[in-house]
């Protein structure tokens, strides 16, 4: 009796076995690579960075004035309560060489038989004392106590602006004080240098230390 030889595994079966393990291994390898990429990306974006302080809240200004940078910008207002506006009279105008002859004549001041040009405006409220207030928020830059020409208060503001309030009595502030727009500074009075104006406020506006017309900022 002839002994039968064992049959060799068919090539078809071997090919099928290879297919059975090839794709699972491939998928596993791709998954490992994908997970590694995600882990590396997360490690990269989670690197500690130094804390950055928010410096947009306050900005230091010259003369110690600190103003919030996101605060609404102020405009110059009247140096008196707006309720008095109907009773206000400009006795003496700011001298503008390009103004009309009438305006220039009204801007000439006389002292000791000498004419001088007015560097501000002289404000009267029926010839009566009235409260003088800050036109804008700022810092009191200087106070000149001189009863002959009238006490003078100088307030420095942002953007190179200054406002000057002269012929004031009962001064309520001192150099270095921070003042708010509308804050009381003193009371208008008369002085010996400009007696024809009677009780008044001599009001000036300076831009980069040069006088400019208050009419450029105020509606009168």
């Amino acid at each position: 009796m002839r002994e039968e030889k064992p049959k060799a595994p068919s090539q078809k079966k071997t090919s099928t076995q290879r297919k059975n393990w090839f794709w699972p291994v491939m998928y596993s390898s791709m998954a490992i690579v994908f997970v590694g990429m995600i882990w590396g990306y997360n490690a990269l974006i989670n690197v500690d960075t130094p804390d950055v302080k928010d410096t947009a809240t306050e900005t230091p200004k010259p003369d110690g004035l600190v103003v919030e940078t996101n605060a609404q910008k102020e405009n110059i207002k009247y140096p008196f309560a707006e309720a008095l506006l109907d009773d206000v009279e400009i006795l003496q105008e700011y001298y503008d060489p390009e103004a009309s002859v009438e305006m220039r004549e009204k801007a000439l001041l006389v002292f000791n038989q000498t004419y001088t040009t007015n560097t501000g405006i002289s404000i009267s409220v029926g010839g009566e004392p009235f409260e003088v207030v800050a036109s804008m928020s700022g810092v009191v830059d200087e106070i000149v106590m001189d009863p002959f020409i009238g006490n003078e208060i100088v307030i420095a503001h942002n953007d190179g602006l200054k406002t000057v309030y002269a012929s004031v009595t009962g001064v309520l502030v001192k150099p270095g004080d921070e003042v708010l727009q509308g804050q009381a500074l003193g009371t208008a009075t008369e002085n010996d240098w400009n007696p024809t104006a009677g009780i008044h406020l001599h009001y000036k506006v300076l831009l980069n230390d040069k006088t400019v017309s208050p009419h450029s900022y105020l509606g009168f």
Side-chain angles (χ1 to χ4, degrees):
M1 190 173 186
R2 190 173 58 182
E3 184 176 336
E4 293 183 357
K5 293 181 179 181
K7 296 180 178 180
S10 66
Q11 188 172 356
K12 182 177 181 180
K13 185 176 180 180
T14 302
S15 177
T16 303
Q17 289 175 343
R18 286 177 179 174
K19 290 181 180 179
N20 289 342
W21 62 262
F22 177 80
W23 290 112
V25 171
M26 181 63 70
Y27 291 145
S28 299
S29 299
M30 292 176 64
I32 291 172
V33 172
F34 184 72
V35 170
M37 292 174 63
I38 293 177
W39 181 87
Y41 177 76
N42 288 335
L44 181 63
I45 64 175
N46 287 331
V47 174
D48 291 337
T49 56
D51 293 333
V52 179
K53 293 183 179 180
D54 183 9
T55 58
T57 303
E58 291 185 345
T59 302
K61 296 292 181 180
D63 301 322
L65 178 62
V66 177
V67 179
E68 293 184 5
T69 57
N70 59 350
Q72 184 176 1
K73 186 175 180 179
E74 288 182 347
N75 294 317
I76 290 182
K77 292 187 175 180
Y78 298 114
F80 50 81
E82 290 193 16
L84 301 175
L85 186 57
D86 291 340
D87 300 319
V88 167
E89 180 183 1
I90 307 299
L91 300 177
Q92 295 156 330
E93 285 286 354
Y94 170 81
Y95 186 83
D96 182 352
E98 298 181 359
S100 65
V101 174
E102 181 182 357
M103 291 288 284
R104 281 180 288 166
E105 287 179 351
K106 198 175 180 181
L108 294 175
L109 306 181
V110 182
F111 176 73
N112 198 22
Q113 298 182 344
T114 302
Y115 285 98
T116 183
T117 54
N118 197 3
T119 56
I121 55 177
S122 302
I123 302 172
S124 173
V125 181
E128 298 292 331
F130 62 93
E131 186 177 64
V132 177
V133 302
S135 293
M136 293 180 70
S137 301
V139 174
V140 178
D141 185 58
E142 183 182 10
I143 294 180
V144 179
M145 304 298 286
D146 188 338
F148 179 72
I149 62 172
N151 300 329
E152 183 177 86
I153 303 168
V154 181
I155 299 180
H157 313 283
N158 293 326
D159 301 324
L161 279 174
K162 290 183 180 180
T163 50
V164 182
Y165 314 76
S167 192
V168 177
T169 189
V171 175
L172 301 173
V173 293
K174 62 183 184 299
D177 282 355
E178 293 186 16
V179 296
L180 299 177
Q181 188 174 56
Q183 181 175 330
L185 304 176
T187 304
T189 187
E190 55 189 348
N191 61 70
D192 295 331
W193 188 88
N194 189 10
T196 58
I199 296 174
H200 71 286
L201 168 68
H202 189 242
Y203 178 73
K204 296 193 293 185
V205 177
L206 283 74
L207 179 60
N208 298 324
D209 292 325
K210 294 183 179 179
T211 57
V212 294
S213 174
H215 294 294
S216 300
Y217 297 91
L218 298 172
F220 65 12

